[in-house]
Amino acid sequence: MSFVAAVQSGFRNYVNFMGRATRSEYWWWALFTLIIQIVTSGVGDGLGAVVSLVLLVPGIAVAIRRMHDTNHRGWWMLFPIVNFVFAVRASDAGENRFGPPPPPRSLS
């Protein structure tokens, strides 16, 4: 999944806590939020706070879907070290209890 597709998916699935998110989708989203936070932190406190609130819910949603992709419950994202270990693991190749793997996305 490309950077742009991951960001679009993050906003398209804004409050979708079901299903699965690929490893690339999760890490591209993390990079996007890091870049946006850095850029808006220098602009002003008000803008940075608003951006943080806007990105909070989709960030939680993509993290929960990433946990689902490794066949773990979303609650594991509350434990940072465990969350990181699960986030870097490869996805389950087949269907797991959270559904089928996300379909491959084209680069177009």
Side-chain angles (χ1 to χ4, degrees), residues 65-77:
R65 290 194 319 272
R66 178 67 194 133
M67 294 298 102
H68 290 172
D69 197 42
T70 61
N71 203 21
H72 294 92
R73 294 188 182 272
W75 292 106
W76 283 108
M77 68 167 275

Side-chain angles (χ1 to χ4, degrees), residues 38-87:
I38 290 170
V39 168
T40 59
S41 68
V43 175
D45 291 336
L47 180 61
V50 170
V51 169
S52 293
L53 287 174
V54 168
L55 296 177
L56 179 66
V57 174
I60 292 171
V62 75
I64 288 173
R65 290 194 319 272
R66 178 67 194 133
M67 294 298 102
H68 290 172
D69 197 42
T70 61
N71 203 21
H72 294 92
R73 294 188 182 272
W75 292 106
W76 283 108
M77 68 167 275
L78 296 175
F79 303 100
I81 294 172
V82 177
N83 179 24
F84 178 76
V85 170
F86 290 158

Side-chain angles (χ1 to χ4, degrees), residues 23-34:
R23 185 170 28 180
S24 62
E25 179 180 354
Y26 175 80
W27 288 109
W28 282 126
W29 180 262
L31 178 64
F32 168 73
T33 57
L34 177 67

